[in-house]
């Protein structure tokens, strides 16, 4: 079976995690945490990094640090992974969904302004599958209405917009280091920001908001969202290869697109004036295809090729039922019905990609 994703772990990760274990620094104290935070923040082109136990926690923590809570509204894409909207839900604020763009699959920035009202506090763009959102438009709106911008960059390590890396494009950037992300710590996440106040607050709230003068006197509701030194040790190892990983993703995507560009029944991913990190290589099945997305996935699976559906729209999630109006989200609905991603792991090579593409094309012969 060719899997959709595989992490790439090597000698460095083993060396550093062994060091963490041998020196007994296995909790969230220990040198690898700060080292990982520094290296990753620097990579993103920002001053501060705060490592967390998951990407979902990073998003939640970022929202709390910005003071978002009950009664507030946060604009999120309707087409995204559940964590973006869930993080808003955790704070007690209400996620407000916006449909997707047909080509980039990102939040359609031209539809945001209509949804802004006096309760709106923030916009959370998500760089879907590694393609940065239309940040100029989003930041202009944020400036006009005094909103925060929280990037969910969990799928976009190393992606660039106007030559700036994802994570540095808003007030706060959030990343995930889950095993299928560009670099991994097994489970893990990080907030990155240039704002010292957000940094200080995030550091405190990540660690149960222990008191400054009296340690066990807590003035705020904190969380235990700490990353362990063992995870950070893996992260430091991964950082030595992040450029290489990004290069592999981009080269593989280019090769997929080269091989599939003549197939008239599918749409390929785009790269519109940005650097797409091509975290996952997604395609959508056109209406003229005699095979449905589900049929294609099944047939590829039978040939030993694993794929994944695109996300289900947020407005169709059962626990967001109470938010549902009669509003339509035609683009995200269509994406969820026609989209899939092909194997995109770091261990792919040209021969395997050629084989996958030949099998996909073969389904139409
Ligand atoms: C992976 C991911 C997250 C969060 O991931 P965790 O599994 O919590 O680390 C958040 N948003 C998006 C868009 C993601 O793809």
């Amino acid at each position: 079976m060719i899997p959709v994703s595989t992490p790439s772990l090597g000698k460095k990760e083993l060396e550093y995690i062994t060091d963490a274990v041998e020196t007994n620094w296995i909790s969230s104290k220990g040198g690898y945490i700060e080292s990982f935070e520094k290296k990753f923040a620097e990579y993103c082109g920002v001053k501060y990094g705060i490592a967390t136990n998951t990407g979902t926690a990073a998003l939640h923590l970022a929202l709390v640090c910005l003071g978002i809570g009950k009664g507030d509204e946060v604009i999120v894409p309707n087409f995204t992974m559940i964590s973006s909207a869930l993080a808003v839900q955790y704070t007690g604020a209400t996620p407000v969904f916006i449909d997707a763009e047909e080509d980039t699959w990102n939040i359609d920035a031209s539809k945001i302004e209509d949804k802004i009202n006096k309760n709106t506090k923030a916009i959370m763009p998500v760089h879907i599958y590694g393609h940065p959102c239309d940040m100029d438009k989003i930041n202009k709106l944020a400036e006009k209405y005094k909103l925060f911008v929280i990037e969910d960059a969990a799928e976009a390590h190393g992606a660039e917009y106007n030559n700036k890396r994802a994570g540095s494009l808003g007030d706060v950037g959030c990343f995930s280091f889950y095993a299928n992300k560009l670099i991994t710590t097994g489970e893990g996440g990080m907030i990155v920001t240039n704002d010292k106040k957000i940094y200080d607050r995030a550091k405190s709230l990540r660690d149960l908001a222990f008191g400054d003068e009296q340690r066990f006197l807590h003035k705020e509701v904190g969380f235990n969202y700490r990353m362990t030194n063992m995870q950070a040790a893996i992260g430091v190892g991964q950082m030595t290869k992040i450029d290489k990983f990004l290069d592999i993703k981009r080269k593989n995507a280019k090769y997929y697109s080269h091989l599939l560009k003549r197939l008239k029944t599918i749409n390929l991913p785009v790269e519109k004036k940005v650097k797409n990190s091509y975290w996952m290589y997604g395609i959508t099945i056109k209406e003229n295809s005699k095979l449905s997305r589900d049929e294609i996935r099944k047939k590829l699976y039978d040939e030993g090729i694993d794929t994944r559906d695109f996300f289900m729209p947020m407005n169709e999630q059962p626990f967001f039922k109470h938010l549902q109006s009669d509003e339509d989200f035609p683009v995200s609905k269509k994406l969820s019905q026609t989209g899939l991603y092909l194997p995109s792991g770091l261990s792919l090579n040209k021969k395997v990609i050629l084989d996958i593409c030949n099998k996909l094309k073969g389904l139409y012969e």
Side-chain angles (χ1 to χ4, degrees):
M1 204 72 201
I2 304 166
V4 283
S5 172
T6 34
S8 172
L9 300 163
K11 283 204 185 95
K12 283 258 184 290
E13 290 83 341
L14 195 59
E15 183 192 322
Y16 297 153
I17 199 171
T18 303
D19 175 56
V21 171
E22 284 180 347
T23 56
N24 284 337
W25 291 102
I26 58 168
S27 80
S28 58
K29 298 233 160 36
Y32 287 110
I33 310 255
E34 253 178 55
S35 169
F36 183 43
E37 289 173 336
K38 272 219 176 80
K39 284 178 202 292
F40 191 74
E42 194 178 315
Y43 178 80
C44 294
V46 301
K47 286 191 196 140
Y48 309 108
I50 305 101
T52 56
N53 56 347
T54 67
T56 309
L59 287 166
H60 181 207
L61 193 58
L63 289 161
V64 174
C65 287
L66 296 172
I68 288 159
K70 212 166 154 49
D72 297 335
E73 293 186 3
V74 178
I75 291 187
V76 297
N78 194 47
F79 181 72
T80 182
M81 191 252 182
I82 195 69
S83 297
S84 327
L86 262 189
V88 176
Q89 181 73 21
Y90 294 158
T91 66
T94 304
V96 174
F97 306 129
I98 306 281
D99 206 3
E101 293 181 331
E102 239 164 300
D103 51 357
T104 66
W105 312 326
N106 284 330
I107 188 166
D108 186 340
S110 71
K111 297 200 171 121
I112 293 176
E113 193 161 16
D114 278 350
K115 292 296 177 75
I116 295 174
N117 62 43
K118 64 178 188 339
N119 296 324
T120 312
K121 289 283 148 55
I123 307 173
M124 185 188 284
V126 185
H127 311 306
I128 300 289
Y129 304 139
H131 191 295
C133 295
D134 189 344
M135 293 306 293
D136 280 345
K137 236 184 231 161
I138 291 168
N139 283 328
K140 268 197 197 111
L141 284 171
E143 216 167 288
K144 183 169 169 191
Y145 295 98
K146 306 225 172 335
L147 309 174
F148 294 115
V149 174
I150 300 139
E151 288 176 79
D152 180 344
E155 306 185 349
H157 316 60
E160 289 175 23
Y161 182 91
N162 284 348
N163 298 315
K164 285 174 72 184
R165 288 214 165 117
S168 71
L169 306 168
D171 296 290
V172 193
C174 298
F175 288 89
S176 164
F177 305 114
Y178 180 64
N180 68 3
K181 301 291 153 91
L182 185 72
I183 60 164
T184 184
T185 57
E187 298 280 357
M190 199 179 297
I191 292 177
V192 296
T193 184
N194 279 317
D195 187 323
K196 177 82 166 39
K197 275 200 202 107
I198 296 174
Y199 170 67
D200 288 337
R201 196 158 150 73
K203 260 183 100 163
S204 168
L205 291 178
R206 164 184 76 175
D207 189 21
L208 300 168
F210 281 110
D212 287 337
E213 292 115 48
Q214 263 185 297
R215 181 167 168 79
F216 295 109
L217 196 65
H218 302 257
K219 292 183 187 152
E220 282 197 277
V221 178
F223 309 91
N224 182 349
Y225 282 169
R226 301 181 301 246
M227 177 183 271
T228 70
N229 198 46
M230 296 183 286
Q231 291 167 301
I234 293 180
V236 172
Q238 292 269 288
M239 279 311 289
T240 63
K241 292 174 283 191
I242 190 166
D243 292 328
K244 193 177 117 203
F245 290 169
L246 184 62
D247 205 45
I248 292 173
K249 290 274 187 187
R250 287 179 51 78
K251 281 209 176 105
N252 287 346
K254 295 268 141 87
Y255 193 49
Y256 263 129
S257 290
H258 170 72
L259 294 172
L260 294 174
K261 66 177 180 240
R262 285 205 189 80
L263 190 54
K264 296 294 179 219
T265 51
I266 66 171
N267 294 304
L268 304 180
V270 296
E271 187 173 38
K272 277 169 73 182
K273 294 186 278 181
V274 297
K275 183 173 180 179
N276 189 338
S277 68
Y278 291 105
W279 171 60
M280 291 291 169
Y281 189 84
I283 59 172
T284 59
I285 309 303
K286 288 188 193 173
E287 261 153 44
N288 67 2
S289 168
K290 65 178 186 217
L291 298 165
S292 71
R293 188 271 313 272
D294 293 349
E295 285 164 340
I296 288 168
R297 283 202 58 211
K298 164 119 201 356
K299 283 177 193 289
L300 288 176
Y301 192 84
D302 292 342
E303 301 246 29
I305 299 162
D306 204 7
T307 59
R308 287 285 181 283
D309 288 345
F310 271 17
F311 304 121
M312 291 284 284
M314 291 305 107
N315 72 306
E316 293 177 27
Q317 302 296 337
F319 59 79
F320 283 139
K321 234 189 197 122
H322 61 287
L323 300 175
Q324 283 168 24
S325 59
D326 41 17
E327 184 180 354
D328 278 336
F329 296 89
V331 181
S332 30
K333 190 182 183 85
K334 193 163 158 205
L335 290 176
S336 76
Q337 290 167 346
T338 63
L340 68 129
Y341 59 79
L342 298 170
S344 307
L346 293 167
S347 60
L348 281 179
N349 57 43
K350 276 194 149 180
K351 190 167 154 288
V352 178
I353 294 173
L354 181 62
D355 181 47
I356 294 167
C357 292
N358 284 338
K359 281 179 174 151
L360 178 57
K361 290 190 227 172
L363 302 182
Y364 289 102
E365 276 154 16

